[in-house]
Amino acid sequence: MITVGPETKIAAILKANPEAIELIASLSPHFNKLRNPLFRKVFAPRVTVAEAAAIGHCSVDAILNSIKGLGFD
């Protein structure tokens, strides 16, 4: 299991399991941009889970709970 927290970069999550793209994108319309490979390449390495939660107007726990079933702790 990979341990993730508020300071984990989105790119690290997506690199560990690309299936997380769809789970995260389903949480907020703001996250639909993650489906675009160019957008992912530019922004995912720069954004943490906490920053993504603020952008998507959702909680950090919502993001972390959504990816929990993919082998993240």
Side-chain angles (χ1 to χ4, degrees), residues 26-72:
S26 70
L27 294 174
S28 169
H30 295 283
F31 298 150
N32 285 333
K33 296 175 184 175
L34 284 175
R35 292 181 175 121
N36 180 324
L38 180 61
F39 183 86
R40 270 197 318 270
K41 183 177 179 180
V42 172
F43 289 103
R46 294 181 172 96
V47 177
T48 65
V49 171
E51 293 167 337
I55 292 167
H57 306 290
C58 65
S59 69
V60 171
D61 289 335
I63 295 174
L64 296 177
N65 289 335
S66 71
I67 61 171
K68 202 171 195 174
L70 295 177
F72 296 101

Side-chain angles (χ1 to χ4, degrees), residues 2 9-21 40 44 72:
I2 298 170
K9 299 287 185 179
I10 296 296
I13 294 170
L14 301 180
K15 183 178 180 183
N17 192 335
E19 292 178 28
I21 294 169
R40 270 197 318 270
F72 296 101

